[in-house]
Amino acid sequence: MRRIREVVVVEGRYDKNALRQVVDATVVETRGFGVFNDKERLALLRRLAARRGLILLTDSDGAGFVIRNFLKGAIPKSQLKQAYIPDIYGKERRKAAPGREGKLGVEGMPPQILLQALERAGATFEDGDTSGERPPITKADFYELGLTGHPESGARRARLLARLGLPERMTCSAMLEAVNIVSSLDELRALLD
């Protein structure tokens, strides 16, 4: 599985699941049109874009382009790459009927087409050499820092999310993934002191 440096932005969880079977990447959902009114999610996307860059991978239907155009206006162009899937007509396996336009979305694309879309967008594929990277923050680190498994863990996580400018409703796993992008373990410790 090829690893991508940029954060890939998709519409929903089924898109995220399909993409994670193809590449090793941080994948963030817009939750469809929910991103329009979710200031915290938009702030997170801006931070991720500044830190690692974003690749937009939305469906090729009208709704996908509305979301794409909204994000194109909200994220600096220099921090954004566009990945497009082709118009393939059909329906996803989990659905009883095709979508309004009859096109497959990201979740219905064959893996090789998703990979080609990312390659054409200019995704930065990493060869697995992690010598220049910092060690990842783990669930064990979260426990050691009192962010899980302790009576005050929920309150500590809430304070940390606020200090990092991350959405307050993040699950512990989503928080761990985001913290690994925006912070190091030493920076995390300093924020918690």
Side-chain angles (χ1 to χ4, degrees):
M1 191 174 305
R2 297 182 71 188
R3 186 173 184 195
I4 296 178
R5 181 188 190 290
E6 294 89 357
V7 174
V8 183
V9 180
V10 296
E11 292 178 49
R13 70 174 181 237
Y14 294 106
D15 300 332
K16 182 177 183 175
N17 292 341
L19 195 58
R20 283 211 161 146
Q21 294 175 28
V22 178
V23 292
D24 177 11
T26 301
V27 183
V28 177
E29 306 165 36
T30 65
R31 295 184 181 145
F33 293 138
V35 74
F36 297 162
N37 299 317
D38 190 342
K39 291 179 182 161
E40 291 178 335
R41 182 156 300 269
L42 190 55
L44 172 63
L45 289 173
R46 285 181 174 134
R47 286 189 67 187
L48 295 174
R51 185 80 167 220
R52 297 212 345 224
L54 297 183
I55 298 175
L56 290 183
L57 181 62
T58 61
D59 295 349
S60 58
D61 61 5
F65 275 89
V66 169
I67 293 167
R68 181 184 297 272
N69 289 330
F70 172 78
L71 291 174
K72 281 170 58 175
I75 308 289
K77 187 177 180 179
S78 63
Q79 300 169 355
L80 199 56
K81 295 178 180 178
Q82 303 288 334
Y84 296 95
I85 57 172
D87 288 338
I88 298 177
Y89 291 88
K91 74 168 192 67
E92 283 84 8
R93 281 182 281 187
R94 70 177 181 87
K95 295 182 179 176
R100 188 176 358 190
E101 295 180 33
K103 299 175 185 177
L104 290 176
V106 170
E107 74 172 276
M109 287 292 130
Q112 67 273 16
I113 291 180
L114 292 175
L115 193 56
Q116 287 171 355
L118 293 167
E119 288 170 345
R120 284 193 306 268
T124 307
F125 289 95
E126 298 177 340
D127 61 6
D129 176 18
T130 58
S131 59
E133 292 184 18
R134 62 180 181 246
I137 300 166
T138 64
K139 288 184 178 183
D141 294 323
F142 265 29
Y143 179 80
E144 176 190 320
L145 295 169
L147 295 169
T148 59
H150 300 281
E152 295 295 317
S153 294
R156 286 179 67 80
R157 281 195 309 275
R159 285 191 301 274
L160 180 61
L161 286 169
R163 288 180 183 152
L164 290 171
L166 295 171
E168 66 183 23
R169 293 184 184 165
M170 293 184 97
T171 65
C172 196
S173 293
M175 180 181 175
L176 180 63
E177 189 174 39
V179 165
N180 268 297
I181 295 168
V182 301
S183 184
S184 70
L185 186 56
D186 289 337
E187 291 167 337
L188 201 61
R189 283 189 177 111
L191 286 170
L192 290 167
D193 289 340

